Amino acid sequence: MNSKTVHIKNCLLGYGYASLIAYHKLLKTNNHEDILILRNENSIPIFSIKYEDARFSPLPIFPVEESELYNSDLFDGVPKQEPISVSFSELTNFNYKDHSIEEGSLASFMLSNQGIDQRLCLGLKQWGDSMLSKPFSQVQDKIKRHYISKSGNTRIGYVNGKSIFKYAINKLNPEVLNYSNIQKIDIEKKEVHTNDYIIKYEKLISTIPFHYLLDLCGLEHKHNTDFASAYFYFFKYKTGFKENQVVYDCDFNSDILRVFSIKNDFLLAQLRSDKHGQIPVEKIRKRVQELAPTIEGLEFAQELFVPMCYPLELITEPSTLESIDRLKENEVVPFGRFGEWGYSDLHELDWSNIF
């Protein structure tokens, strides 16, 4: 069967927040018909959940109040929110001397720059024992940018249980073409081949995981593709926990990393992702009650596992860097956290790359 051919000026591969914000940016110099998003029809849009007949994204991806992005026209008309309230539980059941820490590891970096405190406890719970020996260079880089540099990093919380990004992008109404499988990307001919279509583009902006893009383009890569996942339990409650409040759990024996109040009757507990499918709900419910003792009517609602959340190592391998140059020479732009393989937030992306 012959494939249908689509001609487009700007093609966005991937359907996360980075793609949608890029779409908004491109509309400054293009019309809707100049931009097309290719969306994998088998993926859940922006890792959403369904709760009380509404589907929304509850992931803790928050705008930064001081950022140019948050103050841009993307957020015009979006409900404003107060900064997130953050607190830490007491550091218990943890002694850094119980762990063998190798020089150059993420743990070594944290000790030398952050001090021996709750952060190393929380780091081990989030990243696991690998951080005792491996550099996790992307995580080190983010700690330097966000915490050691003392740059503005005021996080803005949820509105009625939704990420503010969700509100911002709902008004876009982007042009979207669904696909079930991409066969290849021909960067010389500037074509994306799916099961049903050949998309001929002038520029391709890809936010899919970087090594997937290189495979589709037939380009070499040997970089470290290790990444970390995220795991959440959601709970309903009646009262007793302030909206947009965050509590970091510094008990090393607890499987909870942090608890977020999404709205006044709904919260998430982010858990150790290496224990996906192994954590009893009642254990977490009991610990949430200890962290927020004024909560009443706490009841488990659902869970969400996000397999790919945090890239861990920087791209430094020569042949991979050569492949990046090949992409850019042929108007293919890797973009976003996993597109560029950088543990970055949305406000840190260089949006000029897409033009």
Side-chain angles (χ1 to χ4, degrees), residues 154-206:
T154 306
R155 302 288 170 156
I156 302 299
Y158 296 105
V159 175
N160 298 325
K162 293 183 182 180
S163 162
I164 299 181
F165 283 112
K166 186 73 170 176
Y167 279 92
I169 65 176
N170 277 349
K171 61 186 180 183
L172 282 181
N173 192 28
E175 298 289 338
V176 176
L177 180 65
N178 290 328
Y179 68 87
S180 58
N181 181 52
I182 293 180
Q183 298 170 339
K184 68 174 182 178
I185 299 174
D186 188 326
I187 62 173
E188 302 289 342
K189 292 183 178 180
K190 296 187 176 181
E191 294 177 347
V192 179
H193 293 243
T194 74
N195 283 353
D196 301 314
Y197 292 90
I198 296 175
I199 298 94
K200 293 180 175 288
Y201 59 83
E202 294 181 23
K203 181 185 288 290
L204 177 66
I205 301 162
S206 172

Side-chain angles (χ1 to χ4, degrees), residues 112-125:
S112 62
N113 289 280
Q114 297 288 107
I116 303 165
D117 59 8
Q118 303 109 316
R119 297 190 187 280
L120 183 56
C121 170
L122 291 166
L124 279 164
K125 288 170 66 175

